Amino acid sequence: MAHRILTLTTDFGWSDPYAGAMKGVILSLAPEVTLVDLSHGVAAHDLLDAAYTLAQAYRYFPTDTIHLVVVDPGVGTTRRPILVRAGTQLLIAPDNGVLSLVYDQEPEAVVRHITSTHYFRTNPSQTFHGRDVFAPVAGWLAKGIEPEKFGDPITDFVRFAVPKPKAVAGEVRGVVLKVDRFGNLITNLTPTDLPTLAPESTSLPAFSPTVGKGNVTAVRRAYAEAAPNEVFAIWGSAGYLELCANRASASRLCGAERGAEVVVILTS
Amino acid sequence: MAHRILTLTTDFGWSDPYAGAMKGVILSLAPEVTLVDLSHGVAAHDLLDAAYTLAQAYRYFPTDTIHLVVVDPGVGTTRRPILVRAGTQLLIAPDNGVLSLVYDQEPEAVVRHITSTHYFRTNPSQTFHGRDVFAPVAGWLAKGIEPEKFGDPITDFVRFAVPKPKAVAGEVRGVVLKVDRFGNLITNLTPTDLPTLAPESTSLPAFSPTVGKGNVTAVRRAYAEAAPNEVFAIWGSAGYLELCANRASASRLCGAERGAEVVVILTS
Amino acid sequence: MAHRILTLTTDFGWSDPYAGAMKGVILSLAPEVTLVDLSHGVAAHDLLDAAYTLAQAYRYFPTDTIHLVVVDPGVGTTRRPILVRAGTQLLIAPDNGVLSLVYDQEPEAVVRHITSTHYFRTNPSQTFHGRDVFAPVAGWLAKGIEPEKFGDPITDFVRFAVPKPKAVAGEVRGVVLKVDRFGNLITNLTPTDLPTLAPESTSLPAFSPTVGKGNVTAVRRAYAEAAPNEVFAIWGSAGYLELCANRASASRLCGAERGAEVVVILTS
């Protein structure tokens, strides 16, 4: 237990005292834990953004890392707090679908409804379960309480479907899942959806993805291969096709944001 | 001393190297300390914002946590550096009122003027006492030097009064203390100011708080109870009445910012 | 090795999962390391901003601290990954000039080309060497692998020249290196460039620096000495002349950004 790691993913931003209060509650219970800010910059109330952010980072952590996720528009209602064992990782979150991408990656995940309220702070507020419910549960878990002590497994947990690409009549239609800080448009298109464009292909077919007003030219292997203001496609580090520009924002160049449709026309 | 915790609250933002330099100085003196970013996003030079941020988080930390607060518009002048024992917590800050809300919560606080300049970096700059004065004092304190070694207690420390609500002729007037990332308007109204609206009340009186152009409808128990774009009141996690909207910004809906007056008319 | 410290400086921002993924990879290899966020707010793709940020903070850390710098517009091309011993510090970065200011401070620095690819993640992506190349190298280094195991020294590493002031005909011309969060304009002018204005001078000559539309009045010793909206000069904590205002943004008052020319006319 000496080097238990605990990450935080919230939509609290980096200015307000909310994340700090949670850290205090956790450290009061488990002063030896190593806290890691995964992100506090999730878009406010945005469960898909939170799910994506978490899914791109959680699996790189050591065995038995605890991931605390507090993006919680239903705080104060009857939505349940849950504790999940997913492969080598542990996750604590509201049961609002925010772990949907984790469930996709870990079909054997065990989801427990946290019902042992004696691990909560006394008189929890109705608006800040991050501090009063989730942080103390995380602290007790880091301290060594076994997951099964917090509540029984459930199977009716909330899970939303991430949009899947559709193939019709020579074209494949996907969407932009995420726009990152650089303006890269991360789509939901995987090599399985576009086998003739997959990273291992040696010769690429003619193709023309369109998004917004973007004129996508090619699939490239590195950002620096592209001309200035050229929008190109690349197989990104998240496993998805990304539309990018070299030292510029594809989002701005294409006028496309999250949710924009991406149409790939494949001509053989 | 093995797991001494040290938090940082500054207005340095998250891009500049200032917080990083402070962390380096602290870790050079006390490499085993656990550093916690409480917030670096305090509004620039804003003592009330810093005082509020700190007050909402510091008390959740374990005994003997050190809280370093560097929001310091008077750096380089004769304003004093201080070291404070407040209940179970230790605080280091400029003597400019930034700890006023801590003093309110801890009337027995002992405030020391830090005069032992041999704990400072040699040739401290005139513009960055965070790095050259406060960080080394924090490092030495974390390393185990006793608080009394840094200087003698003072009683004439700077303390500002946080605005208090006023009750006149059937109405109570408060102000917005803080607008958080979600656009929630956190007022200075407590259950004591509005006993008939207090959280434990079972039937609420008619009431109509107004702020900006906001039309506040009800006191609710959870954000998700409200209709879209409805502005409502809730007893928030900080102990104050907050004006909120469900997945929307009450600040934007009301056109109200920090300092806006909140008028609550109580009709019995 | 018990308290090895590892700092992160990136342009990934504070919302995306990239820094979190890197932290996971590092902690999987070296779970006892102390991670320190130096900055993730470097301007996107901006090597000078990254070099400046790092140079202002790295030297304050304890001996054998590892500094991981990932600002990497050439990711996926043939630009080399490097491992540098500079004085008491270790640095890992792409060989794109981002360490130029470190080389200036440490002429004896030993720069190694990291060629031992078995320390990388298997099948590294072409777009995220931070996660797949640099983070694992940092993790192995933190775990105790000796620097010479990663590759041989090179001397043809990339190094850019930071702009130097020019003295001509009674005036000295410099540039703004950095605008910080407060709007302070940090120039490249040092006491050596302006000996008659240097901090130890007891009487200052008449001088008039101009930048943008700024009307700079005086060299002051503390921000709070200045009148409202007065733009003044001060010898800053980074060792450079800064143009500032008291609780206001000199950048806004002068209409000047990074790269703006600063002309100092010295009249004796």
Side-chain angles (χ1 to χ4, degrees), chain A residues 11 13-18 20-21 23-25 27-28 32 42 45 73 75-77 121 126-128 131, chain B residues 3 5 14 36-37 39 41 53 56-57 60-62 178 180-182 186 221-224 234 236-237 247:
Chain A
D11 61 352
W14 299 92
S15 295
D16 292 336
Y18 303 127
K23 292 176 185 180
V25 170
L27 290 168
S28 289
E32 301 194 28
V42 169
H45 313 303
V75 62
T77 66
R121 294 186 75 233
Q126 289 302 299
T127 57
F128 192 8
R131 179 190 69 192
Chain B
H3 296 285
I5 293 160
W14 300 90
V36 175
D37 288 314
S39 175
T53 301
Q56 289 303 322
Y60 298 105
F61 281 82
K178 168 87 180 175
D180 73 11
R181 191 209 185 186
F182 302 102
I186 302 165
R221 306 253 164 183
Y223 297 121
I234 200 165
S237 61
R247 304 196 193 201

Side-chain angles (χ1 to χ4, degrees), chain A:
Chain A
M1 285 301 151
H3 296 283
R4 197 86 186 230
I5 293 161
L6 200 159
T7 82
L8 300 171
T9 302
T10 78
D11 61 352
F12 292 152
W14 299 92
S15 295
D16 292 336
Y18 303 127
M22 287 175 61
K23 292 176 185 180
V25 170
I26 293 165
L27 290 168
S28 289
L29 291 165
E32 301 194 28
V33 81
T34 295
L35 289 177
V36 175
D37 289 314
L38 208 146
S39 176
H40 297 295
V42 169
H45 313 303
D46 189 328
L47 298 177
L48 178 57
D49 193 43
Y52 179 85
T53 302
L54 181 70
Q56 289 304 322
Y58 85 98
R59 60 187 170 208
Y60 299 105
F61 282 82
T63 295
D64 286 343
T65 295
I66 300 165
H67 302 279
L68 179 50
V69 186
V70 185
V71 179
D72 193 15
V75 62
T77 66
T78 57
R79 71 95 192 87
R80 301 170 291 192
I82 54 175
L83 168 55
V84 178
R85 163 62 78 184
T88 61
Q89 309 290 304
L90 290 158
L91 303 104
I92 296 167
D95 181 32
N96 58 15
V98 76
L99 302 184
S100 294
L101 287 165
V102 173
Y103 304 145
D104 287 353
Q105 293 180 22
E106 303 282 352
E108 306 296 317
V110 177
V111 181
R112 292 173 186 279
H113 176 192
I114 303 169
T115 51
S116 298
T117 56
H118 56 279
Y119 293 118
F120 301 172
R121 294 186 75 233
T122 48
N123 297 318
S125 69
Q126 289 302 299
T127 57
F128 192 8
H129 285 194
R131 179 190 69 192
D132 298 338
V133 171
F134 295 108
V137 166
W140 285 109
L141 188 63
K143 204 180 168 78
I145 302 292
E146 293 299 321
E148 49 267 35
K149 303 281 187 180
F150 292 91
D152 292 330
I154 57 174
T155 54
D156 63 341
F157 49 87
V158 176
R159 184 174 183 169
F160 56 72
V162 178
K164 298 287 178 209
K166 289 173 196 147
V168 272
E171 64 182 43
V172 182
R173 289 171 179 267
V175 297
V176 174
L177 282 182
K178 168 85 179 175
V179 180
D180 72 12
R181 191 212 185 185
F182 302 102
N184 298 321
L185 301 166
I186 301 165
T187 76
N188 64 341
L189 297 160
T190 66
T192 310
D193 302 312
L194 297 168
T196 58
L197 290 178
E200 60 277 10
S201 305
T202 48
S203 70
L204 294 177
F207 91 118
S208 57
T210 56
V211 58
K213 58 181 172 64
N215 180 24
V216 180
T217 53
V219 179
R220 300 208 177 276
R221 305 254 163 180
Y223 298 121
E225 286 178 5
N229 290 330
E230 176 192 344
V231 179
F232 59 97
I234 199 165
W235 287 104
S237 61
Y240 298 113
L241 195 74
E242 301 184 16
L243 306 177
C244 308
N246 183 13
R247 304 197 192 200
S249 164
S251 172
R252 192 178 50 75
L253 289 168
C254 296
E257 294 293 338
R258 201 180 87 181
E261 186 172 51
V262 182
V263 182
V264 182
I265 301 170
L266 293 168
T267 52
S268 53

